Amino acid sequence: LLLEPFGPDGSRRYRCACFDYLTDEKVALPEEEASPESILLFDGVFLLRDELRAFWDFSIFVQADFDEIVRRAEERDRELMGGAEAVRERYRTRYISGQELYFSRCAPQEIADVVFDNTNASDPRLIRTPASA
């Protein structure tokens, strides 16, 4: 609903959402049309997998230490997941292990055009730019 419409031969006709993860339900939003000058800024995890890399003209990988990721998740997702311990458990058993697998198979920090370390959110560090790659 986004990648193909915004691709080189795309129609520019898209939907802003198709799924609400909080309600675990489909969303039926009307189709919109982007102007020819529009760009798609796409944010998410696991986006530099082999099967998706051809869709990106430019990529930025934002990394943070796993301890900091879990700390932020505890603060952000405590109510959603049923408490801090539930957050830690889910991140330990699912999210962090998924990230480790992604890093070992896809090496996003090696193939991204730009890499930031966002462990300290008030002072992100630029790790690599295209000129330093």
Side-chain angles (χ1 to χ4, degrees):
L1 298 175
L2 288 172
L3 295 180
E4 289 179 6
F6 278 90
D9 297 318
S11 66
R12 298 188 328 272
R13 299 199 59 75
Y14 68 96
R15 286 180 171 44
C16 286
C18 64
F19 185 78
D20 183 336
Y21 78 95
L22 291 173
T23 61
D24 197 29
E25 295 178 358
K26 290 181 180 181
V27 175
L29 293 179
E31 193 173 71
E32 299 180 47
E33 185 169 342
S35 71
E37 301 82 27
S38 296
I39 62 167
L40 174 63
L41 180 61
F42 204 97
D43 173 39
V45 296
F46 309 127
L47 294 179
L48 293 176
R49 296 188 331 253
D50 291 342
E51 63 269 30
L52 294 174
R53 285 175 54 190
F55 286 103
W56 315 128
D57 294 321
F58 190 83
S59 61
I60 300 171
F61 181 73
V62 181
Q63 64 188 31
D65 294 341
F66 287 142
D67 289 341
E68 179 60 14
I69 290 170
V70 172
R71 187 198 68 72
R72 291 177 191 169
E74 285 178 23
E75 186 177 304
R76 179 189 62 237
D77 299 336
R78 179 174 298 165
E79 287 184 41
L80 177 68
M81 293 185 184
E85 181 56 38
V87 171
R88 285 190 296 275
E89 178 66 14
R90 181 168 294 173
Y91 270 74
R92 186 176 51 75
T93 60
R94 183 172 179 179
Y95 299 131
I96 299 299
S97 58
Q99 286 289 321
E100 289 172 334
L101 183 62
Y102 174 55
F103 293 164
S104 69
R105 290 191 178 170
C106 302
Q109 64 278 29
E110 307 280 326
I111 60 174
D113 296 299
V114 172
V115 178
F116 280 94
D117 183 331
N118 196 37
T119 299
N120 180 349
S122 63
D123 188 25
R125 293 184 312 116
L126 180 61
I127 303 295
R128 193 178 79 240
T129 64
S132 63

